């Protein structure tokens, strides 16, 4: 593997320090990141005929990566992915208030979460690392948190995304980061999800209330529209979930394996296996969109143009201890890894 790293400035305005970093592994696979939001903006790979193309959906206008609070294309998400009911939790009998950015609730770390921060960047031998020490005044969460997020090529066309959080304070905080990439393995994103097959290693989803807040209950999904335990045609599944009255998938799955999901395209052979060290995967099928947003190659954004698969500790863990523990105590440090194993079926 011969990794090369290049960077370019994306904005001519000197007061906007937007930079793009591209890391090519020399085998026909490359990724690009931005210093705003530690964002993964593109992931290029060959198809079965050797055509190399980007398999992620992203904004066409670089400026949208700076201002977006809706789609989170490619964004690093933290301190906590998903929704926290009433933007608050109890710890040692103390009520801790968090930033509220979706009604009373906290979504994806609040408006000043990882996705909207400017990160410092350094090169590693096989990728890049974003670092930042986040103060409570910056994002509204308790405790000073030193964070690093690295994107590196590891053996055999595997992109590893590693999050480390270190609580540098005397009080506890929360840490449940994820990455919000939307995949579409077709070259032409306007072709939607045609040809895509998805499997998710899960037999249960988290029940959600009318505000998409976890109730604490798990639902058995065997043989329902939500069941992806057997590899399934994504467009057919979308049709069947819509027949239940939903606008698409926006659900946390309780995963049973470290290979949490496999997305493949039967037409062009591209395949992504997602590995994670946590117990949850949120599957979001990009259900609501505004067409004034333009994405890859200047096309208008439309619903179900791509799918987000977000590995994390199950949302709701802070209120439902059975779901996991996302508290990062004073002085504690935690590391999580997500791997995209990329391959091409002949
Ligand atoms: C997912 C979803 C949300 C949302 C967002 C962009 O994590 O659960 O509903 O709209 O991403």
């Amino acid at each position: 593997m011969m990794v090369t790293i290049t960077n370019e400035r994306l904005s001519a305005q000197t007061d906007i320090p937007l930079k793009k970093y591209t890391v090519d592994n020399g085998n026909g696979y490359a990724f690009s990141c931005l210093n705003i939001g530690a964002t993964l903006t593109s992931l290029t790979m060959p198809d079965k005929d050797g055509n190399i193309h980007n398999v992620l959906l992203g904004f066409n206008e670089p400026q949208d990566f700076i201002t977006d609070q809706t789609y989170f294309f490619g964004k690093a998400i933290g301190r906590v992915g998903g929704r926290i009911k009433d933007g608050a939790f109890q710890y040692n009998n103390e009520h801790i208030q968090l930033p509220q950015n979706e009604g009373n609730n906290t979504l994806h770390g609040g408006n000043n979460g990882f996705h909207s921060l400017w990160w410092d960047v350094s090169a590693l031998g096989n990728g890049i690392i974003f670092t930042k020490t986040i103060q409570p005044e910056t994002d509204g969460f308790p405790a000073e948190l030193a964070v690093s997020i690295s994107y590196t090529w590891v053996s055999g066309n595997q992109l590893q995304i590693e999050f480390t959080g270190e609580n540098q304070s005397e009080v506890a905080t929360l840490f449940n980061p994820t990455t919000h990439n939307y995949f579409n393995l077709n070259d032409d994103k306007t072709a939607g999800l045609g040809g895509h097959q998805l499997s998710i290693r899960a037999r249960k989803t988290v029940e959600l209330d009318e505000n998409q807040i976890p109730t604490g209950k798990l639902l058995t999904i065997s043989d329902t529209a939500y069941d992806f335990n057997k590899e399934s045609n994504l467009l057919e599944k979308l049709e069947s979930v819509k027949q239940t009255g939903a606008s698409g998938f926006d659900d946390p799955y309780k995963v049973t394996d470290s290979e949490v999901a496999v997305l493949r395209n039967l037409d062009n052979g591209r395949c992504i296996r997602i590995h994670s060290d946590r117990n949850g995967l949120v599957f979001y099928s990009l259900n609501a969109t505004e067409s004034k947003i333009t994405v890859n190659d200047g096309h208008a954004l439309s619903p179900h143009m791509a799918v987000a698969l977000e590995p994390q500790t199950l949302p709701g863990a802070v209120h439902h201890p059975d779901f996991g523990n996302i508290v990062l105590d004073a002085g504690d440090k935690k590391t999580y890894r997500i791997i995209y194993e990329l391959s091409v079926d002949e």
Side-chain angles (χ1 to χ4, degrees):
M1 191 159 63
M2 262 294 290
V3 174
T4 52
I5 304 178
T6 52
N7 71 72
E8 63 180 293
R9 222 189 148 100
L10 284 189
S11 173
Q13 276 172 268
T14 47
D15 57 334
I16 301 178
L18 187 62
K19 278 186 101 173
K20 179 166 111 172
Y21 300 80
T22 298
V23 182
D24 191 318
N25 78 355
N27 300 335
Y29 294 72
F31 65 83
S32 296
C33 290
L34 299 178
N35 54 343
I36 180 76
T39 308
L40 186 67
T41 55
S42 92
L43 178 57
T44 54
M45 66 179 287
D47 68 4
K48 65 176 162 46
D49 300 317
N51 296 316
I52 294 176
H53 218 90
N54 179 14
V55 295
L56 299 184
L57 194 69
F59 293 114
N60 195 47
E61 297 298 327
Q63 181 65 28
D64 288 341
F65 282 107
I66 301 176
T67 54
D68 173 60
Q69 294 284 1
T70 306
Y71 302 104
F72 300 87
F73 290 134
K75 294 300 184 109
I77 304 287
R79 303 183 190 194
V80 178
R83 295 180 170 82
I84 300 175
K85 184 178 165 64
D86 298 331
F89 69 107
Q90 298 281 328
Y91 188 69
N92 287 346
N93 295 323
E94 207 189 318
H95 174 92
I96 298 171
Q97 189 60 51
L98 303 170
Q100 295 155 304
N101 60 333
E102 193 184 70
N104 283 335
N105 303 322
T106 305
L107 172 65
H108 294 336
N111 280 346
N112 299 314
F114 293 1
H115 68 280
S116 66
L117 301 179
W118 293 94
W119 294 76
D120 292 327
V121 190
S122 321
L124 300 170
N126 55 348
I128 56 167
I129 185 162
F130 295 101
T131 53
K132 193 165 187 79
T133 298
I134 303 170
Q135 305 299 333
E137 302 75 47
T138 301
D139 69 349
F141 278 68
E144 179 181 294
L145 185 70
V147 182
S148 67
I149 303 169
S150 66
Y151 294 86
T152 54
W153 285 115
V154 293
S155 65
N157 303 323
Q158 299 185 40
L159 170 57
Q160 176 174 283
I161 308 173
E162 185 179 278
F163 301 86
T164 297
E166 184 174 4
N167 182 345
Q168 307 196 130
S169 296
E170 302 301 312
V171 295
T173 189
L174 301 177
F175 188 55
N176 187 12
T178 187
T179 177
H180 211 301
N181 300 305
Y182 291 78
F183 299 100
N184 178 328
L185 307 179
N186 287 317
D187 288 7
D188 175 9
K189 304 311 179 216
T190 61
L193 295 167
H196 285 68
Q197 301 277 118
L198 175 66
S199 63
I200 300 176
R201 306 275 183 266
R203 301 195 179 275
K204 291 180 172 160
T205 57
V206 169
E207 184 185 65
L208 301 174
D209 73 8
E210 65 284 0
N211 297 318
Q212 290 176 279
I213 297 292
T215 64
K217 225 175 109 183
L218 293 172
L219 304 171
T220 300
I221 50 170
S222 313
D223 302 323
T224 69
Y226 293 88
D227 187 356
F228 283 87
N229 222 16
K230 239 188 17 231
E231 183 175 289
S232 310
N233 177 296
L234 206 36
L235 288 181
E236 286 171 15
K237 286 292 225 181
L238 265 172
E239 278 319 304
S240 44
V241 85
K242 282 181 180 172
Q243 277 164 24
T244 72
S247 55
F249 295 93
D250 190 357
D251 294 275
Y253 283 73
K254 183 174 186 206
V255 293
T256 52
D257 196 89
S258 63
E259 184 180 276
V260 293
V262 181
L263 182 67
R264 72 169 85 239
N265 187 301
L266 296 181
D267 300 329
N268 63 31
R270 292 187 180 121
C271 178
I272 300 188
R273 294 173 183 278
I274 303 177
H275 303 267
S276 154
D277 45 16
R278 286 182 285 167
N279 66 349
L281 179 78
V282 172
F283 170 30
Y284 177 54
S285 57
L286 189 50
N287 303 330
T289 61
E290 283 170 77
S291 59
K292 66 177 195 329
I293 301 285
T294 57
V295 290
N296 309 35
D297 307 321
H299 295 299
L301 178 63
S302 64
H304 314 309
M305 219 174 190
V307 287
L309 295 160
E310 313 154 44
Q312 58 198 263
T313 302
L314 285 176
V318 77
H319 295 130
H320 307 289
D322 291 356
F323 285 6
N325 180 13
I326 63 164
V327 173
L328 193 65
D329 276 313
D332 277 4
K333 183 173 171 174
K334 234 177 205 151
T335 293
Y336 295 114
R337 288 188 189 96
I338 293 166
I339 291 176
Y340 298 150
E341 182 188 344
L342 310 174
S343 61
V344 186
D345 300 329
E346 294 305 319

